[in-house]
Amino acid sequence: MSMSKVFGLRDIEPKPRTTNQIWAKDVGYDEAPWYHERMGLTELEDFLNVAGERIDYVKIATTQVLNHPAEWVKRKVELYKKHDVLPYLDHGFFLRAYKNGVVDEAIEAGAELGFPVIEFMNTFGDVPDEQLKAWRQRATDCGMSIIYEHHPERGWRKGRADIVDAPATAAEIAQGAEPFLAHGAFTLLIDHEEIEIQEDAAKDVLNEVREILGKDRVAFEVTSTKEAEMLWYTNLLDYFEMFGSDCNVTNIMPSQVMFIDPLRSGERPANLLFDRYPELNPVRHK
């Protein structure tokens, strides 16, 4: 008898999955003191032996891609692929390449490192449609799949960091994604800041986006521990309530991965966690 059968544990749906996806975040040795988790190759191999079957994609932080030894990054990419986890270059990589005027070269360099996926984002008219199309084609020609991420404007224009952006309509989000999806992008990723500024309208607006595009083509980002230590937890409970427990979630730290499936099943941590973080224990989360 297996532990799963004895205790009636949730079965892990085999890959490739279209729902119930977990997208992890892998940070480098350069990102202390913001993160306690820095996945070296030794730690990563052990971690993937435990959790690899639960993870679908992994975002490898841009500063790690740029500043860690190339051969080491290649080994990390291949280790993830060995466990059927697809690493991707996130929107920060695209944004940095754009600011340096080297998008074509950056796409090629990412493909040389073995990355099978790259993420683009909305540019609020700063990049002509034809140029975006050309960059998408360059990624495709390099053998890379595409993700499109929707951000509020401050995610693209850092000068707007202190400006409260208006939430987007479902039509605006879908229209921004459609050229990318039509060109082969497999997922629209909704940044956590967009979900936050939607406030009470998030459930209706983002479920409408899913109805337009298909729920298997939308993923929701949780807040990084770099920004708030435990907001990821309440994000997950909110997302499962608003979008269903099978919704795809992203930006999951390695230490959080093993929590996700129990949370999808309705389990909640012991009171010790609530004692330390009382904000996690409102009546609706009991």
Side-chain angles (χ1 to χ4, degrees):
M1 292 293 290
S2 68
M3 291 295 178
S4 178
K5 289 180 180 178
V6 170
F7 289 97
L9 303 179
R10 180 190 182 102
D11 290 333
I12 300 172
E13 181 183 345
K15 302 177 188 179
R17 295 178 281 259
T18 57
T19 58
N20 291 296
Q21 291 180 352
I22 296 175
W23 298 30
K25 180 175 184 177
D26 184 315
V27 297
Y29 289 107
D30 58 313
E31 298 200 56
W34 299 289
Y35 297 105
H36 300 297
E37 304 174 74
R38 292 171 296 282
M39 300 299 289
L41 297 177
T42 302
E43 302 96 325
L44 178 60
E45 183 153 26
D46 185 56
F47 170 70
L48 289 174
N49 283 331
V50 173
E53 64 180 337
R54 300 175 185 269
I55 306 169
D56 299 271
Y57 299 94
V58 60
K59 169 172 62 179
I60 298 187
T62 296
T63 55
Q64 182 178 178
V65 175
L66 299 184
N67 299 321
H68 290 37
E71 290 305 315
W72 185 89
V73 174
K74 287 182 180 180
R75 289 173 61 195
K76 174 169 276 194
V77 167
E78 290 306 312
L79 184 54
Y80 274 116
K81 290 198 258 187
K82 174 184 171 183
H83 287 267
D84 295 321
V85 178
L86 295 182
Y88 67 97
L89 297 160
D90 83 336
H91 79 277
F93 181 83
F94 167 66
L95 178 57
R96 187 156 179 167
Y98 172 77
K99 287 182 175 180
N100 284 275
V102 293
V103 175
D104 288 291
E105 296 87 343
I107 292 171
E108 293 176 2
E112 176 63 25
L113 289 175
F115 280 90
V117 184
I118 187 170
E119 180 181 272
F120 293 95
M121 67 183 295
N122 45 330
T123 64
F124 298 92
D126 287 355
V127 181
D129 291 342
E130 283 304 309
Q131 180 61 77
L132 287 171
K133 182 178 180 181
W135 285 335
R136 292 194 299 265
Q137 190 60 51
R138 177 62 63 95
T140 300
D141 291 344
C142 287
M144 304 171 84
S145 298
I146 297 170
I147 301 164
Y148 170 74
E149 182 167 8
H150 171 86
H151 274 259
E153 190 170 349
R154 62 177 175 263
W156 174 254
R157 298 191 176 116
K158 294 301 182 185
R160 292 180 57 88
D162 297 324
I163 298 173
V164 178
D165 292 318
T169 65
E172 288 170 339
I173 295 172
Q175 287 167 7
E178 281 169 357
F180 291 83
L181 296 172
H183 205 154
F186 61 90
T187 294
L188 159 65
L189 195 159
I190 306 292
D191 183 77
H192 73 90
E193 290 187 341
E194 180 63 44
I195 303 172
E196 290 165 11
I197 65 175
Q198 289 286 342
E199 296 183 337
D200 292 342
K203 181 176 181 178
D204 291 337
V205 170
L206 299 179
N207 273 316
E208 184 178 346
V209 172
R210 296 172 89 209
E211 289 174 9
I212 295 169
L213 302 179
K215 74 175 186 177
D216 59 330
R217 303 186 81 181
V218 181
F220 301 96
E221 182 187 67
V222 305
T223 304
S224 171
T225 53
K226 182 178 180 178
E227 299 175 61
E229 188 174 5
M230 288 300 299
L231 192 52
W232 64 271
Y233 179 86
T234 48
N235 283 165
L236 287 170
L237 298 189
D238 288 340
Y239 298 172
F240 294 160
E241 180 182 314
M242 291 189 292
F243 312 122
S245 63
D246 64 344
C247 71
N248 299 327
V249 292
T250 80
N251 214 31
I252 305 299
M253 295 299 294
S255 63
Q256 300 161 8
V257 166
M258 298 300 289
F259 271 88
I260 307 303
D261 286 325
L263 290 177
R264 291 191 197 274
S265 298
E267 296 182 26
R268 298 295 177 260
N271 288 333
L272 180 65
L273 183 60
F274 295 137
D275 291 341
R276 183 173 178 184
Y277 302 101
E279 69 275 14
L280 301 182
N281 196 22
V283 172
R284 67 191 177 91
H285 289 162
K286 286 183 179 178

